[in-house]
Amino acid sequence: MELYRWNAEASAVLMRYIPWIEVLVRNAIDEQLRLWLSRQTPQPYDDWIDVADTHPMDRIRALINTAEKDYLSEARHTALSKKRFWRSDQSHPRHGDEIDRDDVFAQLTFGTWDGMLSRAANDPELARILMGAFPNIENAWESETRRMPNSSLPGNESDSREDRLRRELISRLKGIRVVRNRIGHDENLLRVNFPKIRHDMYFVLNSLGADYPRWAFPDKAELLKRLNPVQVLEQLERKGK
């Protein structure tokens, strides 16, 4: 029972910080994609999310959807189901409203963003556009190498620097997302390295901009330093004896 309570408390602590990563990353990527679309010729596009039953640009869809699932259409259908709920509840603040692009956008999951960065390996132009959402990533990596001098980027020396940084970013985002999913499914966090997750989140925030860590985590996520499942298990073992 004590261990279960510790797990619930650890989950609550993590969820003070993880949502910031998801919201800030998705908004930064969204901004880059919309700027890119506005520059397309011969016809610029206003948006890559369409609330009607039509297709945004195929290249962007290829970064989001898989052969098995159309995530953009699913996001639209989820938003439409929420609209039906608003319509049935006259006291709802959105009663009578139509869905807009933000309603659809909000339904895209955390995995959308690291998935897009990963699939962009097959579309170098869009890979550069997506990485434009992380203008401070070089400085973020320099900070990491000062903290851990033996750190190295994934890939080979022959790979481009941007590609290797993109892969490092994907790895950090996936690690954060896996822990978030464990919390969502009420799984145990006994093997989570909380200081590492903290550093991963700081790396992502710092990649977005030098001010982001201070803005998102004014408490510097100090609580994550004190989360140690090993200590909890040791305490429980002593009590058992």
Side-chain angles (χ1 to χ4, degrees), residues 14 16 39 56 58 73 94 100 115 128 136 164 198 200 203 211 224 236:
L14 277 164
R16 291 181 59 171
R39 297 193 298 264
D58 288 342
S73 291
R94 295 290 301 275
D100 57 27
R128 288 193 297 274
N136 200 48
R164 297 181 73 187
R198 178 177 178 271
D200 287 349
F203 175 77
D211 293 332
L224 294 180
L236 291 175

mmCIF file of all heavy atoms in Angstrom, residues 14 16 39 56 58 73 94 100 115 128 136 164 198 200 203 211 224 236:
data_model
loop_
_atom_site.group_PDB
_atom_site.id
_atom_site.type_symbol
_atom_site.label_atom_id
_atom_site.label_comp_id
_atom_site.label_asym_id
_atom_site.label_seq_id
_atom_site.Cartn_x
_atom_site.Cartn_y
_atom_site.Cartn_z
ATOM 1 N N LEU A 14 5.424 14.179 -11.583
ATOM 2 C CA LEU A 14 5.816 14.209 -12.995
ATOM 3 C C LEU A 14 4.820 14.982 -13.844
ATOM 4 O O LEU A 14 5.199 15.730 -14.750
ATOM 5 C CB LEU A 14 5.963 12.789 -13.531
ATOM 6 C CG LEU A 14 7.305 12.112 -13.260
ATOM 7 C CD1 LEU A 14 7.190 10.612 -13.484
ATOM 8 C CD2 LEU A 14 8.391 12.699 -14.158
ATOM 9 N N ARG A 16 3.206 17.459 -13.124
ATOM 10 C CA ARG A 16 3.328 18.912 -12.969
ATOM 11 C C ARG A 16 4.162 19.495 -14.097
ATOM 12 O O ARG A 16 4.061 20.685 -14.398
ATOM 13 C CB ARG A 16 3.997 19.258 -11.631
ATOM 14 C CG ARG A 16 3.176 18.969 -10.410
ATOM 15 C CD ARG A 16 3.898 19.355 -9.144
ATOM 16 N NE ARG A 16 4.245 20.774 -9.089
ATOM 17 C CZ ARG A 16 4.726 21.367 -8.006
ATOM 18 N NH1 ARG A 16 4.908 20.675 -6.896
ATOM 19 N NH2 ARG A 16 5.023 22.650 -8.017
ATOM 20 N N ARG A 39 4.453 30.009 -47.496
ATOM 21 C CA ARG A 39 5.446 30.366 -48.511
ATOM 22 C C ARG A 39 5.369 29.494 -49.759
ATOM 23 O O ARG A 39 6.176 29.657 -50.672
ATOM 24 C CB ARG A 39 6.855 30.261 -47.912
ATOM 25 C CG ARG A 39 7.119 31.214 -46.760
ATOM 26 C CD ARG A 39 8.598 31.292 -46.425
ATOM 27 N NE ARG A 39 9.123 30.016 -45.985
ATOM 28 C CZ ARG A 39 9.254 29.643 -44.708
ATOM 29 N NH1 ARG A 39 8.868 30.464 -43.741
ATOM 30 N NH2 ARG A 39 9.767 28.472 -44.390
ATOM 31 N N PRO A 56 -5.250 18.025 -45.816
ATOM 32 C CA PRO A 56 -4.154 18.993 -45.848
ATOM 33 C C PRO A 56 -3.054 18.476 -46.790
ATOM 34 O O PRO A 56 -3.205 17.443 -47.422
ATOM 35 C CB PRO A 56 -3.674 19.031 -44.398
ATOM 36 C CG PRO A 56 -4.786 18.445 -43.605
ATOM 37 C CD PRO A 56 -5.440 17.435 -44.508
ATOM 38 N N ASP A 58 -0.282 16.587 -48.531
ATOM 39 C CA ASP A 58 0.052 15.166 -48.403
ATOM 40 C C ASP A 58 1.383 14.934 -47.712
ATOM 41 O O ASP A 58 1.544 13.946 -46.979
ATOM 42 C CB ASP A 58 0.059 14.508 -49.787
ATOM 43 C CG ASP A 58 -1.337 14.359 -50.359
ATOM 44 O OD1 ASP A 58 -2.297 14.443 -49.573
ATOM 45 O OD2 ASP A 58 -1.454 14.160 -51.578
ATOM 46 N N SER A 73 -7.597 12.499 -39.376
ATOM 47 C CA SER A 73 -9.039 12.265 -39.472
ATOM 48 C C SER A 73 -9.618 11.855 -38.128
ATOM 49 O O SER A 73 -10.721 12.269 -37.750
ATOM 50 C CB SER A 73 -9.332 11.179 -40.519
ATOM 51 O OG SER A 73 -9.043 11.655 -41.812
ATOM 52 N N ARG A 94 -19.608 26.053 -24.812
ATOM 53 C CA ARG A 94 -19.446 25.946 -26.265
ATOM 54 C C ARG A 94 -20.739 25.520 -26.956
ATOM 55 O O ARG A 94 -20.728 25.164 -28.134
ATOM 56 C CB ARG A 94 -18.339 24.930 -26.588
ATOM 57 C CG ARG A 94 -16.934 25.290 -26.134
ATOM 58 C CD ARG A 94 -16.314 26.435 -26.909
ATOM 59 N NE ARG A 94 -16.210 26.220 -28.326
ATOM 60 C CZ ARG A 94 -15.198 25.563 -28.933
ATOM 61 N NH1 ARG A 94 -14.211 25.065 -28.196
ATOM 62 N NH2 ARG A 94 -15.172 25.437 -30.236
ATOM 63 N N ASP A 100 -13.396 24.298 -34.475
ATOM 64 C CA ASP A 100 -12.414 25.048 -35.261
ATOM 65 C C ASP A 100 -11.104 24.282 -35.299
ATOM 66 O O ASP A 100 -11.005 23.177 -34.758
ATOM 67 C CB ASP A 100 -12.235 26.463 -34.702
ATOM 68 C CG ASP A 100 -11.807 26.461 -33.234
ATOM 69 O OD1 ASP A 100 -11.171 25.471 -32.790
ATOM 70 O OD2 ASP A 100 -12.088 27.444 -32.525
ATOM 71 N N GLY A 115 6.906 11.473 -33.560
ATOM 72 C CA GLY A 115 6.669 10.683 -34.766
ATOM 73 C C GLY A 115 6.950 11.482 -36.022
ATOM 74 O O GLY A 115 7.556 10.974 -36.983
ATOM 75 N N ARG A 128 14.075 19.985 -41.953
ATOM 76 C CA ARG A 128 14.641 21.295 -41.619
ATOM 77 C C ARG A 128 13.562 22.233 -41.078
ATOM 78 O O ARG A 128 13.810 22.998 -40.141
ATOM 79 C CB ARG A 128 15.308 21.919 -42.848
ATOM 80 C CG ARG A 128 16.612 21.257 -43.249
ATOM 81 C CD ARG A 128 17.375 22.103 -44.249
ATOM 82 N NE ARG A 128 16.631 22.262 -45.496
ATOM 83 C CZ ARG A 128 16.656 21.403 -46.509
ATOM 84 N NH1 ARG A 128 17.414 20.306 -46.426
ATOM 85 N NH2 ARG A 128 15.976 21.621 -47.610
ATOM 86 N N ASN A 136 17.391 26.740 -30.597
ATOM 87 C CA ASN A 136 18.486 26.807 -29.615
ATOM 88 C C ASN A 136 19.085 25.431 -29.329
ATOM 89 O O ASN A 136 19.779 25.242 -28.331
ATOM 90 C CB ASN A 136 17.961 27.423 -28.305
ATOM 91 C CG ASN A 136 19.069 27.968 -27.434
ATOM 92 O OD1 ASN A 136 19.952 28.695 -27.895
ATOM 93 N ND2 ASN A 136 19.040 27.634 -26.149
ATOM 94 N N ARG A 164 21.731 14.418 -36.694
ATOM 95 C CA ARG A 164 22.089 13.790 -35.425
ATOM 96 C C ARG A 164 21.400 14.490 -34.246
ATOM 97 O O ARG A 164 20.950 13.839 -33.300
ATOM 98 C CB ARG A 164 23.610 13.806 -35.251
ATOM 99 C CG ARG A 164 24.348 13.000 -36.321
ATOM 100 C CD ARG A 164 25.835 13.005 -36.118
ATOM 101 N NE ARG A 164 26.217 12.168 -34.991
ATOM 102 C CZ ARG A 164 27.463 12.097 -34.517
ATOM 103 N NH1 ARG A 164 28.422 12.839 -35.057
ATOM 104 N NH2 ARG A 164 27.737 11.312 -33.501
ATOM 105 N N ARG A 198 14.268 14.566 -15.899
ATOM 106 C CA ARG A 198 14.373 16.014 -15.666
ATOM 107 C C ARG A 198 15.330 16.641 -16.668
ATOM 108 O O ARG A 198 15.023 17.674 -17.272
ATOM 109 C CB ARG A 198 14.838 16.268 -14.231
ATOM 110 C CG ARG A 198 15.044 17.736 -13.882
ATOM 111 C CD ARG A 198 15.444 17.862 -12.417
ATOM 112 N NE ARG A 198 15.704 19.237 -12.039
ATOM 113 C CZ ARG A 198 16.894 19.829 -12.143
ATOM 114 N NH1 ARG A 198 17.945 19.133 -12.603
ATOM 115 N NH2 ARG A 198 17.044 21.090 -11.787
ATOM 116 N N ASP A 200 16.192 15.424 -19.565
ATOM 117 C CA ASP A 200 15.592 15.311 -20.898
ATOM 118 C C ASP A 200 14.616 16.459 -21.139
ATOM 119 O O ASP A 200 14.592 17.053 -22.226
ATOM 120 C CB ASP A 200 14.860 13.975 -21.053
ATOM 121 C CG ASP A 200 15.808 12.795 -21.182
ATOM 122 O OD1 ASP A 200 17.018 13.013 -21.369
ATOM 123 O OD2 ASP A 200 15.327 11.647 -21.083
ATOM 124 N N PHE A 203 16.503 19.637 -21.688
ATOM 125 C CA PHE A 203 17.118 19.665 -23.015
ATOM 126 C C PHE A 203 16.101 20.104 -24.064
ATOM 127 O O PHE A 203 16.384 20.950 -24.920
ATOM 128 C CB PHE A 203 17.692 18.292 -23.374
ATOM 129 C CG PHE A 203 18.232 18.218 -24.775
ATOM 130 C CD1 PHE A 203 19.455 18.780 -25.097
ATOM 131 C CD2 PHE A 203 17.503 17.597 -25.781
ATOM 132 C CE1 PHE A 203 19.947 18.728 -26.400
ATOM 133 C CE2 PHE A 203 17.985 17.531 -27.075
ATOM 134 C CZ PHE A 203 19.214 18.091 -27.389
ATOM 135 N N ASP A 211 15.059 30.840 -22.865
ATOM 136 C CA ASP A 211 14.205 31.285 -21.757
ATOM 137 C C ASP A 211 13.169 30.243 -21.346
ATOM 138 O O ASP A 211 12.542 30.383 -20.292
ATOM 139 C CB ASP A 211 13.474 32.578 -22.137
ATOM 140 C CG ASP A 211 14.420 33.759 -22.288
ATOM 141 O OD1 ASP A 211 15.478 33.745 -21.628
ATOM 142 O OD2 ASP A 211 14.103 34.678 -23.064
ATOM 143 N N LEU A 224 11.799 16.535 -8.817
ATOM 144 C CA LEU A 224 12.209 15.305 -9.505
ATOM 145 C C LEU A 224 13.540 14.777 -8.977
ATOM 146 O O LEU A 224 13.813 13.578 -9.080
ATOM 147 C CB LEU A 224 12.319 15.552 -11.013
ATOM 148 C CG LEU A 224 11.004 15.860 -11.732
ATOM 149 C CD1 LEU A 224 11.247 16.080 -13.210
ATOM 150 C CD2 LEU A 224 9.997 14.728 -11.533
ATOM 151 N N LEU A 236 11.057 0.256 2.740
ATOM 152 C CA LEU A 236 10.032 -0.770 2.944
ATOM 153 C C LEU A 236 10.652 -2.094 3.407
ATOM 154 O O LEU A 236 10.089 -2.800 4.228
ATOM 155 C CB LEU A 236 9.231 -0.990 1.655
ATOM 156 C CG LEU A 236 8.318 0.172 1.242
ATOM 157 C CD1 LEU A 236 7.669 -0.102 -0.099
ATOM 158 C CD2 LEU A 236 7.252 0.427 2.296
#
